[in-house]
Amino acid sequence: MSKLFSQQLLEWHTKHGRHNLPWQIEKTPYRVWVSEIMLQQTQVTKVIPYFVRFIEAYPSPTAVALSQYDPVARLWAGLGYYRRVQYFWQSCCIIHDKYNGYVPTHPDILQQLPGIGRSTAHAIASISTNLAVPILDANVIRVLCRYHAFKEIPQKAASQRQLWQWAYTHMPTTQCSEYSQAIMDLGATVCSKT
């Protein structure tokens, strides 16, 4: 069942998914991270111009770390949920100091950075390095709940355990980057909120 699910999802994405978003053009860990943080609770169409401006001004974690916080935060003004940029700036400072400016790609290390939870860490690793670790954001939760006819409240601890189990079951061992993008796209564009 899971193999069929992932194959069908990848086929759907090839035909109908989004392929030309700015962060998909060059999938570095940093660019994926910036996009994932900006996209939390924010629509793709709103994020695109912010992402482009931000990457032009701050093309690396070191560029962010060497800047004061206020100019970095100004480029996020209007996206809402401002704690994201505070954590992002703090994480860039840690990456500059501890990892020589290179964004770590192991999910366990990423989760030690401020503002990066399990799903975001998996997104960075999966999309930028093709690692077989699943994502479980709101879009993915919608897809899994509908596919499995899951009626429980997704935020409950038992539900989260079940959803993570399904996320791992469906995760292919190849084309991980494409699969991660595909399941998020399906949840965002087809499997809309009820």
Side-chain angles (χ1 to χ4, degrees):
M1 176 176 71
S2 63
K3 192 171 189 181
L4 179 62
F5 176 85
S6 62
Q7 286 175 341
Q8 288 178 333
L9 188 55
L10 286 164
E11 288 169 10
W12 171 85
H13 189 254
T14 298
K15 295 176 184 174
H16 306 290
R18 298 175 288 191
H19 299 282
N20 295 309
L21 298 172
W23 46 87
Q24 293 173 326
I25 296 166
E26 185 185 348
K27 295 181 188 177
T28 67
Y30 176 70
R31 290 170 64 91
V32 171
W33 176 32
V34 172
S35 71
E36 287 297 315
I37 298 298
M38 285 187 170
L39 286 164
Q40 290 173 357
Q41 302 179 13
T42 311
Q43 294 291 320
V44 167
T45 53
K46 185 168 186 176
V47 168
I48 290 171
Y50 281 90
F51 177 85
V52 171
R53 283 193 299 268
F54 192 86
I55 291 296
E56 286 175 358
Y58 298 104
S60 69
T62 296
V64 174
L66 295 178
S67 174
Q68 295 296 314
Y69 170 73
D70 288 340
V72 173
R74 273 195 293 274
L75 284 178
W76 289 61
L79 282 175
Y81 187 35
Y82 294 107
R83 186 167 288 189
R84 291 182 292 182
V85 69
Q86 183 179 26
Y87 288 146
F88 178 79
W89 181 76
Q90 290 170 352
S91 292
C92 284
C93 291
I94 293 168
I95 288 168
H96 173 68
D97 293 340
K98 190 172 180 181
Y99 300 104
N100 297 317
Y102 293 99
V103 177
T105 56
H106 193 285
D108 292 344
I109 296 172
L110 286 165
Q111 287 180 77
Q112 295 173 19
L113 296 169
I116 298 182
R118 184 179 182 186
S119 186
T120 301
H122 285 202
I124 295 165
S126 175
I127 295 170
S128 69
T129 68
N130 214 30
L131 190 64
V133 289
I135 297 168
L136 194 63
D137 70 358
N139 294 317
V140 175
I141 288 170
R142 270 198 306 280
V143 171
L144 294 175
C145 285
R146 300 249 175 101
Y147 184 77
H148 291 280
F150 190 63
K151 303 294 185 192
E152 301 297 321
I153 297 169
Q155 293 77 19
K156 292 170 70 174
S159 297
Q160 285 287 303
R161 286 192 295 275
Q162 179 61 71
L163 289 163
W164 274 110
Q165 183 180 349
W166 283 329
Y168 273 100
T169 299
H170 294 302
M171 187 76 198
T173 55
T174 61
Q175 293 184 277
C176 302
S177 178
E178 292 83 358
Y179 173 84
S180 293
Q181 189 62 61
I183 196 166
M184 289 190 296
D185 275 3
L186 185 66
T189 62
V190 175
C191 194
S192 58
K193 296 177 184 177
T194 56

Short mmCIF file of all heavy atoms in Angstrom, two decimals, residues 69 73 76-87:
data_model
loop_
_atom_site.label_atom_id
_atom_site.label_comp_id
_atom_site.label_asym_id
_atom_site.label_seq_id
_atom_site.Cartn_x
_atom_site.Cartn_y
_atom_site.Cartn_z
N TYR A 69 20.38 42.08 14.49
CA TYR A 69 19.06 41.45 14.41
C TYR A 69 18.03 42.33 13.69
O TYR A 69 17.27 41.85 12.85
CB TYR A 69 18.55 41.11 15.81
CG TYR A 69 17.12 40.67 15.83
CD1 TYR A 69 16.74 39.42 15.35
CD2 TYR A 69 16.11 41.54 16.28
CE1 TYR A 69 15.41 39.02 15.35
CE2 TYR A 69 14.79 41.14 16.29
CZ TYR A 69 14.45 39.89 15.81
OH TYR A 69 13.14 39.50 15.80
N ALA A 73 15.27 41.29 10.82
CA ALA A 73 13.84 41.25 11.17
C ALA A 73 13.02 42.15 10.25
O ALA A 73 11.88 41.81 9.93
CB ALA A 73 13.66 41.66 12.63
N TRP A 76 11.53 40.54 7.30
CA TRP A 76 10.43 39.60 7.58
C TRP A 76 9.14 40.35 7.91
O TRP A 76 8.08 39.74 8.02
CB TRP A 76 10.79 38.70 8.76
CG TRP A 76 11.84 37.68 8.46
CD1 TRP A 76 13.12 37.92 8.07
CD2 TRP A 76 11.70 36.27 8.53
NE1 TRP A 76 13.79 36.74 7.91
CE2 TRP A 76 12.93 35.71 8.18
CE3 TRP A 76 10.64 35.42 8.87
CZ2 TRP A 76 13.16 34.35 8.16
CZ3 TRP A 76 10.86 34.05 8.85
CH2 TRP A 76 12.11 33.53 8.49
N ALA A 77 9.23 41.67 8.12
CA ALA A 77 8.05 42.44 8.54
C ALA A 77 6.92 42.23 7.54
O ALA A 77 7.09 42.38 6.34
CB ALA A 77 8.42 43.92 8.63
N GLY A 78 5.76 41.86 8.08
CA GLY A 78 4.60 41.59 7.26
C GLY A 78 4.26 40.12 7.14
O GLY A 78 3.18 39.75 6.70
N LEU A 79 5.19 39.25 7.52
CA LEU A 79 4.94 37.80 7.46
C LEU A 79 4.23 37.28 8.71
O LEU A 79 3.70 36.18 8.70
CB LEU A 79 6.25 37.02 7.27
CG LEU A 79 6.84 37.00 5.86
CD1 LEU A 79 8.18 36.30 5.85
CD2 LEU A 79 5.88 36.34 4.89
N GLY A 80 4.26 38.06 9.78
CA GLY A 80 3.63 37.62 11.01
C GLY A 80 4.47 36.57 11.74
O GLY A 80 5.53 36.18 11.28
N TYR A 81 3.97 36.15 12.89
CA TYR A 81 4.62 35.11 13.70
C TYR A 81 6.12 35.42 13.83
O TYR A 81 6.97 34.68 13.39
CB TYR A 81 4.35 33.74 13.05
CG TYR A 81 4.82 32.53 13.83
CD1 TYR A 81 4.78 32.48 15.22
CD2 TYR A 81 5.30 31.41 13.16
CE1 TYR A 81 5.20 31.37 15.91
CE2 TYR A 81 5.73 30.29 13.85
CZ TYR A 81 5.68 30.28 15.22
OH TYR A 81 6.11 29.17 15.91
N TYR A 82 6.43 36.56 14.47
CA TYR A 82 7.77 37.14 14.44
C TYR A 82 8.81 36.39 15.27
O TYR A 82 10.00 36.63 15.12
CB TYR A 82 7.71 38.62 14.84
CG TYR A 82 6.95 39.39 13.80
CD1 TYR A 82 5.67 39.86 14.06
CD2 TYR A 82 7.48 39.59 12.53
CE1 TYR A 82 4.96 40.54 13.09
CE2 TYR A 82 6.77 40.27 11.56
CZ TYR A 82 5.52 40.73 11.84
OH TYR A 82 4.81 41.39 10.87
N ARG A 83 8.37 35.48 16.10
CA ARG A 83 9.35 34.69 16.85
C ARG A 83 10.20 33.86 15.88
O ARG A 83 11.35 33.54 16.17
CB ARG A 83 8.65 33.79 17.86
CG ARG A 83 9.64 33.08 18.76
CD ARG A 83 8.98 32.46 19.91
NE ARG A 83 8.54 33.51 20.83
CZ ARG A 83 8.06 33.29 22.02
NH1 ARG A 83 7.92 32.07 22.45
NH2 ARG A 83 7.70 34.27 22.80
N ARG A 84 9.63 33.53 14.71
CA ARG A 84 10.38 32.75 13.71
C ARG A 84 11.71 33.42 13.36
O ARG A 84 12.75 32.77 13.32
CB ARG A 84 9.57 32.61 12.41
CG ARG A 84 8.37 31.76 12.50
CD ARG A 84 7.68 31.66 11.17
NE ARG A 84 7.08 32.93 10.76
CZ ARG A 84 6.38 33.10 9.65
NH1 ARG A 84 6.21 32.10 8.82
NH2 ARG A 84 5.85 34.26 9.35
N VAL A 85 11.67 34.71 13.07
CA VAL A 85 12.89 35.40 12.64
C VAL A 85 13.88 35.53 13.79
O VAL A 85 15.09 35.46 13.58
CB VAL A 85 12.58 36.77 11.99
CG1 VAL A 85 12.05 37.76 12.99
CG2 VAL A 85 13.81 37.32 11.28
N GLN A 86 13.37 35.68 15.00
CA GLN A 86 14.27 35.75 16.16
C GLN A 86 15.03 34.44 16.31
O GLN A 86 16.26 34.43 16.48
CB GLN A 86 13.46 36.06 17.42
CG GLN A 86 14.32 36.23 18.65
CD GLN A 86 13.46 36.56 19.87
OE1 GLN A 86 12.28 36.23 19.94
NE2 GLN A 86 14.09 37.21 20.84
N TYR A 87 14.31 33.32 16.26
CA TYR A 87 14.96 32.01 16.34
C TYR A 87 15.90 31.78 15.17
O TYR A 87 16.99 31.22 15.33
CB TYR A 87 13.93 30.88 16.39
CG TYR A 87 13.17 30.77 17.68
CD1 TYR A 87 11.84 30.36 17.68
CD2 TYR A 87 13.77 31.04 18.91
CE1 TYR A 87 11.13 30.23 18.87
CE2 TYR A 87 13.06 30.92 20.09
CZ TYR A 87 11.75 30.51 20.07
OH TYR A 87 11.06 30.39 21.24
#
